[in-house]
Amino acid sequence: MRVTWIQPEDLLRHELIQSAAEGKDIGAVSARWREAGGDLGVPEGGASPVAATPAQRRLASALLDELDAQIAPVRAEDPAELDALRASWSTPPALPTVSRERLADRIRGAWIGRAVGCLLGKPVEGVGRTGIREILEVTGRWPLDDFFTGRGLPADVAARHPWNRASRDTSLAENIDGMPEDDDLNYTMLALGLVEAHGRGLTTDNVARAWLAELPALRVFTAERAVYRDLLDGVDPCAAAATRNPYREWIGAQIRADLYGWLCPGDPHRAAELAWRDARLSHVRNGVYGALFVAAMAAAACVASDIESVLDAGLCVVPPHSRLARSITLARDLARRRVPHEDAVDQLYAAHAGLHWVHVLPNASAVALALAEGAGDFTRSICAAVSCGWDTDSNGATVGAVAGALAGASALPSRWTAPLHGRIASSLRGFDGATFDSLAARTLALVDA
């Protein structure tokens, strides 16, 4: 059996890219791997086109350790510890307060919106922007405005752009029956359970223990799978993010952060601090900043009246000279200048050329663009996010949660919400079959805890 995302030869290919981005010297390592006949290409999804020999696998392990041992140059624009991060934060925008009744509706809207956006993007995760557009155009459904369907899709197009195999049976319009399991929702529910168990003083160690106790190993991916392996190997939770984990600036932490914002309505800084304790388990630098960005937006979206305030709140906790700040600012500028959506996405792809489709930078830019273009309109926002490509279900979930909170559950279109039947599937203990009403009520109960 070959388990993806943790084979040494796969890790090394991604690590060479990540180490180079951090300013490490990769020349000697690259040369040794190449001389051994190792493959330096990175196929979609991270799978190896040719299995490594036992000797190559041993060498890849040794080279990974060499790269881990290198100390990357310290960059002032990339603070790591919480105190240094706080020092980089700016004052959040002035945010209003809302009634308890309105807050309850907004938190419920965030949960449902997150599920709808995730479900919209599930069948085309990994398909790519070109494939998404061809699927929609050939069936007369471009631009995206509804759940994907296989009805009327020509066989040659279906073969050229196959649906995500793991989710096509539960996420196409013709077979949706409740919200199917997805890691983008599992992490949100896990965070809910964490705060219920440990309160706002939860630690990175608490998060690590919850992963091992509650998450099936093959329900986690990229950085989370690498760190899961590290934890089982006895690596300290505060060191795991930088141990044989080339995915440390990918999207994983960004998809885990919403709940921390919902618990802190109107307080982006406090939400970001909670998200940091979770994110640092598996990510560093921009990978962590993505989680802070989303948590702060989630906190603002529960009370704000406009999307610009929400985006300002998110950006106020992102180190201002970081690569993530530049990606978000570029996306917002494109939206402000009313650059047509497809042209704007072209510019985002050009700015992030060479990065994996699960890397945090392009995905955060897609989130920012979709929210800014959508201007609070739920349908327009989630469809813009998914049509960008990259990590479609994760970006749809993040954008759906923000737009859903801004609107409130009572204002979400029934054509999006009805197929979910108010419930969600999960492999997490105690959460399978949970209703969005119960999840929202449990979240609201923690707001003042």
Side-chain angles (χ1 to χ4, degrees), residues 127-140:
V127 168
R129 179 188 177 202
T130 301
I132 291 170
R133 180 156 185 168
E134 183 176 8
I135 287 169
L136 292 170
E137 284 185 332
V138 77
T139 54

Side-chain angles (χ1 to χ4, degrees), residues 36-73:
D39 181 10
L40 288 172
V42 181
E44 281 292 282
S48 174
V50 179
T53 67
Q56 287 174 330
R57 183 162 291 175
R58 288 191 296 272
L59 175 61
S61 293
L63 295 177
L64 282 166
D65 290 340
E66 287 186 25
L67 290 171
D68 277 358
Q70 276 196 45
I71 304 299

Side-chain angles (χ1 to χ4, degrees), residues 134-136 138-139 149-159 161 163:
E134 183 176 8
I135 287 169
L136 292 170
V138 77
T139 54
T149 177
R151 297 190 182 107
L153 187 64
D156 62 323
V157 177
H161 307 295
W163 303 116

Side-chain angles (χ1 to χ4, degrees), residues 109-122 179 182-186 188 251 254-256 258 262 294 367 371 378 381-383 385-386 391-405:
W111 273 105
I112 297 172
R114 184 163 181 79
V116 170
C118 177
L119 188 56
L120 176 63
K122 273 178 77 67
M179 178 62 198
D182 191 274
D183 58 332
D184 291 277
L185 275 298
N186 273 346
T188 315
I251 199 177
Q254 182 168 291
I255 74 174
R256 307 199 309 260
D258 295 68
W262 303 339
V294 168
V367 165
L371 288 170
F378 182 78
S381 298
I382 60 173
C383 290
V386 172
D391 199 339
T392 51
D393 65 328
S394 295
N395 294 339
T398 299
V399 169
V402 170

Side-chain angles (χ1 to χ4, degrees), residues 123-413:
V124 291
E125 181 186 15
V127 168
R129 179 188 177 202
T130 301
I132 291 170
R133 180 156 185 168
E134 183 176 8
I135 287 169
L136 292 170
E137 284 185 332
V138 77
T139 54
R141 295 164 62 88
W142 177 264
L144 178 63
D145 187 56
D146 204 346
F147 290 115
F148 285 87
T149 177
R151 297 190 182 107
L153 187 64
D156 62 323
V157 177
R160 190 157 51 248
H161 307 295
W163 303 116
N164 183 312
R165 290 188 298 274
S167 61
R168 62 188 172 192
D169 293 337
T170 56
S171 60
L172 295 178
E174 53 267 30
N175 52 36
I176 296 173
D177 184 18
M179 178 62 198
E181 180 171 14
D182 191 274
D183 58 332
D184 291 277
L185 275 298
N186 273 346
Y187 285 122
T188 315
M189 292 184 286
L190 185 69
L192 175 62
L194 272 165
V195 179
E196 286 178 331
H198 302 287
R200 293 169 188 264
L202 85 157
T203 65
T204 304
D205 187 71
N206 295 146
V207 178
R209 290 178 180 275
W211 282 20
L212 296 182
E214 303 296 341
L215 287 173
L218 295 184
R219 291 288 194 276
V220 298
F221 308 93
T222 64
E224 288 72 21
R225 187 172 294 181
V227 167
Y228 199 110
R229 174 215 57 214
D230 287 342
L231 296 174
L232 291 174
D233 283 343
V235 176
D236 185 274
C238 293
T243 303
R244 290 197 176 194
N245 175 22
Y247 319 115
R248 54 191 177 271
E249 287 193 286
W250 288 22
I251 199 177
Q254 182 168 291
I255 74 174
R256 307 199 309 260
D258 295 68
L259 189 281
Y260 303 118
W262 303 339
L263 298 184
C264 305
D267 193 346
H269 285 186
R270 191 180 187 192
E273 290 184 14
L274 284 171
W276 177 81
R277 297 178 201 169
D278 185 315
R280 71 193 292 249
L281 174 61
S282 54
H283 287 73
V284 302
R285 289 176 296 278
N286 295 283
V288 171
Y289 309 156
L292 309 187
F293 173 58
V294 168
M297 285 200 299
C302 288
V303 299
S305 57
D306 65 281
I307 197 61
E308 289 302 315
S309 295
V310 172
L311 287 162
D312 286 345
L315 203 53
C316 85
V317 298
V318 176
H321 302 296
S322 65
R323 295 165 71 200
L324 189 80
R326 293 198 295 272
S327 292
I328 294 166
T329 300
L330 170 60
R332 294 187 72 183
D333 179 64
L334 292 167
R336 282 171 176 158
R337 291 191 287 112
R338 299 187 183 277
V339 175
H341 176 74
E342 289 300 299
D343 294 339
V345 179
D346 284 341
Q347 292 194 44
L348 294 184
Y349 270 79
H352 300 99
L355 294 179
H356 194 278
W357 61 274
V358 190
H359 198 283
V360 72
L361 296 180
N363 287 291
S365 75
V367 165
L369 179 71
L371 288 170
E373 287 183 338
D377 182 279
F378 182 78
T379 295
R380 186 180 175 196
S381 298
I382 60 173
C383 290
V386 172
S387 65
C388 284
W390 289 311
D391 199 339
T392 51
D393 65 328
S394 295
N395 294 339
T398 299
V399 169
V402 170
L406 268 177
S410 58
L412 294 181

